[in-house]
Amino acid sequence: PVINGVEGESAEIVRRTGSGIEVEPQNATAIADAIETLQKEPNWRRKLAAGGITGSKYYDRSNLANDMLVIFEETTSPP
């Protein structure tokens, strides 16, 4: 699981994949609380870990590069 204290795209990825806990940036207490929660709730921890594993397929750089290559090939090939 991810403990995310960064706003923006990384927070959106964590939300979309269900792979972690969002905390307020630079809030050490919130980070510590999130760690403690993950330690105390193994079922939820496993669910978040599974979300990360499943979601990682969509953000793998090799897969993203291959997808982009297909788009380039489709748009630059003669009709």
Side-chain angles (χ1 to χ4, degrees):
V2 174
I3 297 173
N4 183 59
V6 180
E7 297 175 0
E9 184 64 21
S10 66
E12 185 59 35
I13 291 170
V14 170
R15 272 186 233 112
R16 208 175 302 140
T17 60
S19 60
I21 301 171
E22 291 183 68
V23 297
E24 180 183 350
Q26 305 296 318
N27 185 332
T29 301
I31 295 168
D33 290 346
I35 292 169
E36 190 173 283
T37 298
L38 290 173
Q39 180 185 24
K40 290 179 178 179
E41 298 188 30
N43 290 333
W44 191 41
R45 185 176 63 236
R46 283 189 284 275
K47 180 179 178 182
L48 294 174
I53 291 167
T54 301
S56 68
K57 297 172 192 171
Y58 300 103
Y59 297 98
D60 177 90
R61 291 189 187 274
S62 295
N63 291 341
L64 293 171
N66 286 330
D67 292 347
M68 187 62 71
L69 182 60
V70 168
I71 292 169
F72 287 151
E73 289 173 343
E74 289 174 352
T75 58
T76 60
S77 296

